[in-house]
Amino acid sequence: MTLALFLQHLANALALGSLYALIAIGYTMVYGILRLINFAHGDLFMLGAYLAFYGVALFVMPWWATFAIAILVTALLGVGLERVAYRPLRDSPKISVMISAIGASFLIENVAIVLFGGRPKGVTVPDVFNVKLSSHGVSVMSVSVVIPVFTFAILAVLLWIVGKTRTGMAMRAVSTDLDAARLQAIDVNRIISFTFGSGSLLASFGGILWSYKYPQLNPLMGVMPGLKCFIAAVIGGIGNIQGAVLGGFLLGGIELLTIAFLPTLTGYRDAFAFVLLIVVLLVKPAGLLGSRQAEKV
Amino acid sequence: MRKISLLLSLAAIFAATGCKSSKPTTVKIGIFEPMTGANAAGGAMEVEGIKLANQLYPTVKVGDKEYKIELVLADNKSDKVEAANAAQRLVDQDKVNVVLGSWGSSLSMAAGPIVKDKKIPAIAMSATNPLVTKGNDYYFRVCFIDPFQGTVMANYAAKDLKAKKAVIIREVSNDYSVGLAKFFADSFKKLTGDENAILGELNYNTNDQDFTAQLTTLKSMKPDVIFAPGNYTESALIIKQAQELGITAPFLGGDTWEAPEFIDVGKKATEGAVFSTFFATEVPITDTSKTFLDAYRKQYSKEPAAVTALGFDGYLVARAAIEKAGSLEGAKIRDALAGVQAFPGAAGLITFDQNRDATKSAVIKTVKGGKFTYLTTVQP
């Protein structure tokens, strides 16, 4: 294997990994606050991509305008979803909330099939994301450079919000102990809505960028990326934002490098993600960057 | 994925067990097609053809009694497990007399044992893998099979493109793709007289979206031509990503590429891609072709795909067989089907051979100016 070839593989892995990382952050935020796996995250991802698509196709808006509108609308949908599907069950057993999340996921998928149709749609990628950059035998599309930049920018903003602002302090309080936070006069509902909103915003952000990288939409497009990014979040330590980013890069890297170096195992590509998950759960159950939490009795 | 399949199949069971009284004056034709999932566009195109045929010929004479033909649509969701459920539902709950479908050889094969078991004849319209009808007396098809299609494309690569070395990239979880890849490889080696003419076979999975790892490896192999049989969405993404990585070798594929989504997803990258298919609107073959083309253009104001013509043919053959059998019994309809000779379909004359496969000529098309364009016809 030549150096150029290796660098090309590395560039491919970074591009995919940063996309996973971006989506995993949303999973981890919601889990961190509510201890809830938001199964509908992948579906919000899909909705974001469709909203941006229709913004360009039907309303002939420039891509950046539909981008902004789509992520805001998805954020509102996420907040609404929490209101309708999760909040009424907050004091119910965990399993009820989980079933509600699965139900919400089905509902969104099937409504999407009715609304958008089962046939896939091709996306017109904005020119900025569609520039071929090549040097020394390595070529990537500009979208693959933009995504990691976005991922790290978002990571920085989130770390700032969580670590330095009052809202962030309240988020940390809610995540530590919801009832105690309520006793400290923290508006728990507002914090949870905020978290859901930003988590959904990130899902839609990821969905739109995904549709620019792989320009094809279908109502079930969020299922597999949703599952993989959930795995990425768990690998990194679910609830930990840096962990999600690390997990995303690890997952993307391992996936692509295995195909590159062990081409006969390509058919097991998705299995690698699950094997990696099992190994991490066996060796370090809290995830790579997660800290073990004492069970509250 | 599994949780979805499980719940959906539960939902399907509840839906199907709801009250359904079968009227004795109708004949039921079950349509078994992907309406959602990765193959949805293929399924939709075939269903268009079946529905159009049903509009033109809504009844069938059995003995001296006129029956209305009722279409029962089951979505197999582009998934092998769901496909078995859908087929089971059609034969058990809906009690259909004939099954039409499915787009996709793997999906059709999932229904194989079920229709054989219940003795309900099934007609695949565009499933080209030999295994669909092999050893299954109840499965027929109105299209050619992959050993022929693979040879046609290998011929095109070796003779028209003068290619010496090829790389294959195939959808490893799809029987159609794996089979076609093998037949292409065998023919290409024979034609070039070079045992090592295939530089490599790379794999991917249905629903994959990132092919950069495989394509980076492919690029380093420096092939003259790339054979990539597979579903249209994945194939379009492969061709697009190949271009982005600077791969310039031409792409060849099979009949599955002929869906508008192929061009819609791949955009300019698909320009120049060449594939074999069943029928071209530019060269109508029979009187039925003209009837079909006129009706289709009038109804949809666009050009039909080859698989739409095959859907139309599947319905007509089923209808003719029921009429000839003079009975609604599965075994009798099967025997009538087996005796079909030179039946004039929209996509050519249909004669079933001893393996219940139709012998037909292949058409080669390319993408030119964002449209599928007829190149040539190849006789078997």
Side-chain angles (χ1 to χ4, degrees), chain A residues 11-72:
Chain A
N12 299 341
L14 282 177
L16 181 65
S18 59
L19 204 45
Y20 282 161
L22 186 61
I23 306 161
I25 297 176
Y27 260 112
T28 233
M29 279 181 69
V30 169
Y31 183 86
I33 296 290
L34 275 182
R35 300 284 175 274
L36 160 71
I37 300 159
N38 183 14
F39 281 112
H41 196 75
D43 303 305
L44 292 167
F45 164 96
M46 173 271 294
L47 281 181
Y50 266 102
L51 285 171
F53 170 81
Y54 280 114
V56 173
L58 292 183
F59 304 108
V60 214
M61 290 192 279
W63 70 268
W64 46 268
T66 79
F67 199 119
I69 292 171
I71 58 174
L72 288 177

Side-chain angles (χ1 to χ4, degrees), chain A residues 106 119 122 210 214 266-267, chain B residues 7 203 205 209-210 216 261 264:
Chain A
F106 283 155
R119 293 175 76 154
W210 185 283
Y214 310 110
T266 311
Chain B
L7 280 198
N203 297 326
N205 272 339
Q209 306 214 300
D210 190 296
T216 302
E261 280 78 358
D264 191 30

Side-chain angles (χ1 to χ4, degrees), chain A residues 159-178:
Chain A
L159 289 178
W160 175 75
I161 292 180
V162 173
K164 300 274 191 253
T165 63
R166 283 180 70 86
T167 311
M169 200 193 287
M171 282 166 84
R172 279 180 285 147
V174 173
S175 117
T176 313
D177 191 327
L178 195 131

Side-chain angles (χ1 to χ4, degrees), chain A residues 5 8-9 12 106 109 113 118-120 122-124 132 139 141 210 214-216 223 256 259 266-267 269, chain B residues 1 3-4 7 36 40-41 203 205 208-210 212-214 216 233 237 241 243-245 261 264-265 267:
Chain A
L5 199 57
Q8 178 70 58
H9 279 305
N12 299 341
F106 283 155
E109 281 163 19
I113 289 176
R119 293 175 76 154
V123 176
T124 307
K132 191 158 122 185
S139 57
M141 299 304 282
W210 185 283
Y214 310 110
Q216 182 237 125
V223 176
L256 286 198
I259 302 175
T266 311
R269 169 186 199 147
Chain B
M1 285 301 267
K3 60 167 181 150
I4 294 170
L7 280 198
T36 51
N203 297 326
N205 272 339
D208 278 359
Q209 306 214 300
D210 190 296
T212 48
Q214 290 96 325
T216 302
T233 38
L237 288 174
Q241 288 172 25
Q243 204 181 54
E244 291 168 2
L245 287 169
E261 280 78 358
D264 191 30
V265 171
K267 298 263 172 354

Side-chain angles (χ1 to χ4, degrees), chain A residues 66-204:
Chain A
T66 79
F67 199 119
I69 292 171
I71 58 174
L72 288 177
V73 172
T74 321
L76 289 177
L77 286 174
V79 174
L81 177 73
E82 191 267 332
R83 280 296 253 278
V84 177
Y86 303 147
R87 189 174 296 179
L89 295 168
R90 196 170 297 154
D91 300 318
S92 314
K94 283 237 162 80
I95 188 80
S96 314
V97 191
M98 195 137 133
I99 291 168
S100 180
I102 294 175
S105 163
F106 283 155
L107 182 72
I108 299 176
E109 281 163 19
N110 288 293
V111 167
I113 289 176
V114 174
L115 283 182
F116 310 136
R119 293 175 76 154
K121 289 189 163 55
V123 176
T124 307
V125 183
D127 295 338
V128 223
F129 295 101
N130 214 5
V131 183
K132 191 158 122 185
L133 309 167
S134 50
S135 115
H136 299 90
V138 178
S139 57
V140 291
M141 299 304 282
S142 49
V143 66
S144 305
V145 179
V146 172
I147 297 168
V149 172
F150 271 133
T151 304
F152 284 107
I154 285 170
L155 176 68
V157 171
L158 279 180
L159 289 178
W160 175 75
I161 292 180
V162 173
K164 300 274 191 253
T165 63
R166 283 180 70 86
T167 311
M169 200 193 287
M171 282 166 84
R172 279 180 285 147
V174 173
S175 117
T176 313
D177 191 327
L178 195 131
D179 291 317
R182 201 178 272 151
L183 289 175
Q184 300 300 317
I186 290 175
D187 187 347
V188 172
N189 283 336
R190 196 180 65 83
I191 295 301
I192 290 175
S193 290
F194 174 79
T195 312
F196 251 91
S198 22
S200 311
L201 188 141
L202 290 176
S204 129

